[in-house]
Amino acid sequence: MNKTIQLQDLGNKDYKETWEYQEELFKGIVDLKIKNRREELNLETPNYFLFVEHPHVYTLGKSGDLSNLLLSEKQLETKGATFYKINRGGDITYHGPGQIVGYPIIDLENFFTDIHKYLRFLEESIILTLQEYGLECGRSDGETGVWLGAGTPFARKICAMGVRASRWVTMHGFALNVNADLGYFDNIIPCGIRGKAVTTLNVELGVERVNEEEVKEKILRHFADLFESKFE
């Protein structure tokens, strides 16, 4: 089992280009697994972890409701945003500058074959990171992602998650609001959940800006610990 994960920071990159790149890496792993089974080989499958920041974009998961996007095509253009229907789980979400997006494209057979556990570990890597900043956060019953004030009238989401998995290979991942412009969330019903707010790390800490590279380092450390893996 290969527990080494290749880390790639793509910087600021178009959503569609990144999605196509994810699909390419994903297909490479799946094809290798099929080859292993057909030819009775035991070739090692690679694992990847992509960090990226996207220009303003809204994405709708395969089970999502288009009515949760509150903008017309023309209004999207005015705001300099794009929109895509994609093949992850979940409803609608926003990506943009000031947000840390992580896409683990890993073969879970290198770690454990349990999608529920995978999602909980993804959430836990973010929860542990935010706790280092002194924030009390956690999960909200029946809703993926990471929340502050879950179960109270002041519940607010700080990290959205949506994944796809096939043959135990994952893609898509999480979007953590660090220094994001919250105004862009006003144009959607985030994740299809009405009446719940969205927040960012810098707002919660009451600072103008949080060091995003520092946040990434913390996420990777906790991810590596949880998955008993190492990055290269």
Side-chain angles (χ1 to χ4, degrees):
M1 293 197 296
N2 175 25
K3 289 185 177 288
T4 299
I5 303 173
Q6 299 176 41
L7 174 65
Q8 298 179 27
D9 194 325
L10 305 180
N12 189 290
K13 193 173 180 69
D14 175 75
Y15 185 86
K16 189 167 186 293
E17 285 179 37
T18 310
W19 183 15
E20 288 169 351
Y21 182 50
Q22 279 195 78
E23 292 277 13
E24 182 184 313
L25 297 177
F26 178 88
K27 185 177 184 298
I29 300 173
V30 169
D31 287 351
L32 184 53
K33 294 184 76 166
I34 292 170
K35 180 182 173 74
N36 277 340
R37 286 180 187 169
R38 279 185 182 159
E39 302 178 22
E40 296 184 357
L41 301 171
N42 196 26
L43 300 172
E44 200 173 73
T45 52
N47 306 292
Y48 306 94
F49 189 112
L50 310 180
F51 270 135
V52 66
E53 180 185 78
H54 293 305
H56 302 297
V57 60
Y58 296 100
T59 69
L60 184 71
K62 57 190 176 184
S63 58
D65 184 345
L66 186 57
S67 67
N68 290 326
L69 174 65
L70 308 178
L71 294 175
S72 66
E73 197 172 323
K74 189 164 186 178
Q75 287 171 316
L76 279 169
E77 282 179 29
T78 304
K79 292 190 172 291
T82 52
F83 169 75
Y84 296 103
K85 285 185 180 180
I86 60 172
N87 59 353
R88 60 159 169 79
D91 205 284
I92 197 161
T93 194
Y94 159 78
H95 298 310
Q99 191 182 66
I100 293 176
V101 178
Y103 296 133
I105 305 166
I106 63 177
D107 180 1
L108 285 177
E109 288 192 300
N110 286 325
F111 303 92
F112 49 77
T113 50
D114 185 331
I115 295 295
H116 180 78
K117 182 177 178 181
Y118 171 67
L119 282 166
R120 300 297 79 79
F121 273 17
L122 264 191
E123 290 168 344
E124 192 67 16
S125 65
I126 301 300
I127 290 167
L128 292 170
T129 295
L130 296 176
Q131 285 176 347
E132 288 197 56
Y133 289 93
L135 295 187
E136 285 189 30
C137 56
R139 299 172 180 86
S140 179
D141 287 345
E143 298 165 336
T144 56
V146 179
W147 297 74
L148 285 82
T152 76
F154 307 104
R156 54 215 185 273
K157 194 171 199 175
I158 195 166
C159 183
M161 293 190 181
V163 303
R164 176 192 170 199
S166 177
R167 294 181 184 265
W168 297 115
V169 182
T170 68
M171 65 180 288
H172 300 298
F174 65 85
L176 174 63
N177 301 328
V178 181
N179 301 301
D181 181 348
L182 288 173
Y184 278 83
F185 286 96
D186 294 338
N187 305 313
I188 59 173
I189 300 168
C191 304
I193 303 168
R194 291 181 181 275
K196 290 198 178 174
V198 179
T199 190
T200 64
L201 183 53
N202 71 315
V203 165
E204 294 296 327
L205 296 179
V207 298
E208 188 175 337
R209 189 159 193 86
V210 176
N211 185 322
E212 290 169 28
E213 294 307 312
E214 180 184 88
V215 178
K216 288 179 188 176
E217 288 171 13
K218 294 180 189 300
I219 293 170
L220 291 177
R221 175 161 42 81
H222 293 301
F223 189 96
D225 286 347
L226 289 162
F227 286 82
E228 298 178 346
S229 60
K230 64 177 183 178
F231 286 98
E232 65 172 20

